[in-house]
């Protein structure tokens, strides 16, 4: 039974004060707080079991390797992937997408080939594709959202042409909370022989994900948003895509043999994990995934849907607040601006004085800001530990902003 007060007790930071007020943390979309089990797993890994992985024959190295490799299986089952070896472990979504850009896309794309993107993408799912545009003459095709911030999957499918090689699309917008029907897109792309990369940075935190059901080729996640340590993460790669990929980085661990005149690579996924990995971060991510699945993704989604509905109701009552993104079924992420002169940075500063943490800025989504006709927004993003009372605290804080700036 989901009890938000029990959940809150698992997160030590939530009992601290900020500026003399109880912390109201509404910036989990940027990075989530960590439960004690994750902190303990990290401490234990350093205090009791630490050694480098894969290379040693001694006891600690075997334990460390076992603990680290177990996380591959945890990520796979969290994402509904059958095979743990379909997961490349890395530092997060940015690295995962760059691996696909350098390792899969660059060697296969000719000038005039196309990548289809939505206007809602995070810079992590834009900039690597601009590299291909700049360096290889690849064409980026952008698909807009409608006025509510919804993305019509058919519009994405219609943008796929004979030269399209990849659809790179977010599963949930980090600005609008819009959930994208990536299943419809990935399946249609597949029928046309086009690969799909899904940016799951936000979605995987808030809803059950099954990559086999979605039918995508790549699905990237980032550990620090999943209540795990920063610098942890992974990407699902449809196993047959591995054969089409060249390694992105070279170094130890990804090779079987190195000679003066050549090298032999390790098999995937190791082939794509060069150097000493983030051993302890990754072990912490494993603990975070266990924590989430222990609660149950369905229950987490239901709690957050209730927060979302309450926030829609309360924020909807503020007629001087412009909430961006009202797509049906959206996640509990709210971006807004205020009528009058208040810059989102001012909103964030006033709220911070009341212990309320929100993010203000472009949220690494430049094309979306242009599409919305704003330079920045303030964003409140909710997580499994947030409460309805915190929605009220946000509304009270916004009313104060309105009084100060209107
Ligand atoms: N994609 C989305 C939708 C995000 O929200 C973020 C982080 O804000 C990223 C990608 C990048 O994640 P990271 O910086 O952890 O690699």
């Amino acid at each position: 039974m989901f009890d938000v007060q029990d959940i809150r007790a698992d997160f030590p930071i939530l009992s601290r004060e900020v500026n003399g007020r109880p912390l109201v943390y509404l910036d989990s979309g940027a990075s989530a707080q960590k439960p004690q089990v994750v902190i303990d797993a990290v401490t234990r890994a350093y205090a009791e079991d630490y050694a480098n992985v894969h290379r040693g024959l001694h006891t600690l190295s075997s334990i460390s390797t076992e603990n680290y490799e177990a996380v591959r299986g945890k990520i796979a089952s969290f994402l509904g992937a059958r095979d743990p070896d379909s997961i490349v472990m890395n530092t997060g979504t940015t690295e995962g997408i760059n691996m696909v850009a350098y390792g899969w896309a660059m060697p296969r794309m000719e000038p005039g080939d196309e990548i289809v993107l939505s206007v809602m993408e995070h810079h992590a799912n834009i900039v690597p594709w601009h590299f291909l545009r700049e360096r290889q003459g690849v064409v980026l095709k952008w698909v807009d959202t409608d006025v509510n911030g919804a993305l019509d999957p058919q519009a994405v499918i219609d943008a796929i042409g004979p030269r399209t090689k990849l659809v790179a699309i977010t599963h949930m917008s980090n600005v609008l909370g819009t959930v994208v029907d990536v299943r419809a897109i990935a399946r249609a792309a597949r029928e046309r022989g086009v690969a799909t990369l899904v940016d799951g940075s936000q979605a995987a935190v808030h809803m059950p994900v099954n990559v086999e059901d979605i039918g995508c080729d790549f699905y990237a996640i980032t550990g620090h948003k999943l209540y795990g340590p920063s610098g942890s993460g992974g990407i699902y790669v449809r196993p047959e895509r591995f054969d089409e990929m060249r390694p992105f980085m070279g170094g130890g661990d990804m090779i079987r043999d190195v000679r003066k005149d050549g090298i032999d690579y390790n098999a995937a996924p190791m082939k794509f994990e060069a150097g000493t990995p983030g051993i302890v971060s990754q072990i912490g991510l494993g603990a975070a995934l266990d924590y989430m699945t222990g609660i149950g993704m369905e229950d987490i989604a239901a709690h957050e849907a209730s927060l979302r509905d309450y926030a829609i109701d309360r924020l909807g009552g503020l007629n001087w607040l412009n909430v961006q993104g009202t797509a049906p079924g959206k996640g509990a992420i709210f971006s807004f601006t205020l009528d009058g002169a208040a810059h989102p940075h001012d909103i964030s500063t006033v709220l911070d004085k009341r212990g309320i943490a929100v993010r203000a800025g472009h949220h690494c989504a430049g094309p979306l800001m242009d599409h919305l006709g704003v330079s920045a927004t303030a964003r409140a993003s909710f997580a499994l530990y947030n409460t309805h009372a915190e929605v009220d605290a946000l509304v009270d804080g916004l009313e104060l902003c309105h009084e100060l700036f209107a």
Side-chain angles (χ1 to χ4, degrees):
M1 160 84 184
F2 189 99
D3 180 334
V4 72
Q5 294 307 333
D6 287 350
I7 302 268
R8 290 180 70 77
D10 293 336
F11 289 79
I13 203 168
L14 296 181
S15 56
R16 71 160 281 173
E17 294 192 340
V18 168
N19 294 323
R21 304 282 196 109
L23 169 64
V24 176
Y25 190 74
L26 302 180
D27 196 20
S28 301
S31 203
Q33 299 299 348
K34 318 303 171 200
Q36 189 63 48
V37 282
V38 169
I39 299 166
D40 289 346
V42 167
T43 307
R44 197 167 46 247
Y46 277 126
E48 295 175 24
D49 299 328
Y50 187 75
N52 209 334
V53 290
H54 299 146
R55 297 163 199 189
L57 295 176
H58 61 81
T59 303
L60 281 185
S61 180
S62 305
I63 294 172
S64 194
T65 302
E66 208 174 292
N67 292 344
Y68 171 77
E69 280 300 325
V71 181
R72 204 182 294 283
K74 290 178 197 229
I75 298 174
S77 61
F78 186 73
L79 294 179
R82 253 174 267 132
D83 182 2
D85 284 344
S86 61
I87 304 298
V88 175
M89 297 205 275
N90 57 27
T91 57
T93 295
T94 302
E95 186 181 334
I97 296 177
N98 274 276
M99 180 198 77
V100 176
Y102 282 91
W104 182 83
M106 268 186 192
R108 353 180 20 87
M109 292 213 182
E110 305 286 336
D113 283 347
E114 297 163 356
I115 299 174
V116 172
L117 302 164
S118 91
V119 77
M120 297 189 286
E121 300 312 315
H122 185 282
H123 294 169
N125 197 24
I126 297 176
V127 179
W129 312 123
H130 268 306
F131 290 170
L132 271 83
R133 183 191 57 74
E134 282 177 353
R135 298 172 194 179
Q136 298 183 210
V138 167
V139 175
L140 306 187
K141 281 177 96 175
W142 297 91
V143 181
D144 282 344
T145 55
D146 70 14
V147 283
N148 300 319
L151 185 72
D152 178 2
Q154 195 55 46
V156 179
I157 296 163
D158 290 346
I160 298 173
R163 297 293 306 268
T164 305
K165 290 279 194 305
L166 177 72
V167 177
I169 199 100
T170 190
H171 198 174
M172 181 190 279
S173 161
N174 63 312
V175 179
L176 306 175
T178 303
V179 176
V180 175
D181 186 351
V182 289
R183 185 177 186 274
I185 293 168
R187 287 174 174 244
R190 193 161 182 73
E191 277 166 19
R192 291 159 178 75
V194 173
T196 306
L197 176 145
V198 180
D199 176 351
S201 305
Q202 298 288 340
V205 187
H206 306 294
M207 60 173 74
V209 169
N210 188 305
V211 290
E212 311 267 355
D213 180 54
I214 293 170
C216 56
D217 297 271
F218 308 100
Y219 193 102
I221 57 168
T222 202
H224 67 97
K225 295 187 204 287
L226 288 157
Y227 311 101
S230 55
S232 65
I235 183 165
Y236 161 78
V237 178
R238 182 183 277 275
E240 58 263 34
R241 293 289 176 201
F242 277 130
D243 300 334
E244 302 171 353
M245 282 167 63
R246 67 183 186 198
F248 162 42
M249 289 205 296
D253 247 22
M254 49 84 74
I255 37 73
R256 188 167 286 144
D257 188 32
V258 179
R259 302 169 303 279
K260 282 185 180 159
D261 64 350
I263 46 176
D264 296 326
Y265 295 121
N266 240 326
M270 295 280 289
K271 182 177 176 183
F272 302 97
E273 296 176 4
T276 300
I279 303 163
V280 175
S281 311
Q282 218 60 18
I283 289 170
L285 173 58
L289 298 181
D290 286 346
Y291 177 76
M292 292 177 78
T293 46
I295 295 167
M297 290 309 292
E298 300 284 357
D299 285 1
I300 292 172
H303 172 68
E304 293 180 355
S306 148
L307 286 173
R308 173 202 61 203
D309 293 346
Y310 186 58
I312 289 174
D313 191 41
R314 293 283 343 253
L315 296 174
L318 309 176
N319 59 11
W320 32 263
L321 192 79
N322 311 305
V323 177
Q324 306 281 359
T326 53
K330 67 175 265 172
I333 298 178
F334 294 89
S335 284
F336 45 80
T337 53
L338 230 96
D339 281 352
H343 187 277
H345 288 170
D346 299 327
I347 300 174
S348 172
T349 305
V350 171
L351 293 177
D352 184 55
K353 293 273 174 288
R354 300 188 139 211
I356 303 170
V358 299
R359 194 162 194 83
H362 55 53
H363 314 292
C364 293
L368 180 61
M369 294 293 120
D370 291 345
H371 178 67
L372 297 172
V374 294
S375 59
T377 67
R379 180 188 71 183
S381 50
F382 292 83
L384 64 90
Y385 39 63
N386 290 121
T387 65
H388 292 68
E390 289 180 315
V391 176
D392 294 335
L394 173 67
V395 170
D396 291 348
L398 290 173
E399 275 168 344
L400 175 66
C401 292
H402 180 56
E403 272 166 44
L404 289 172
F405 299 119

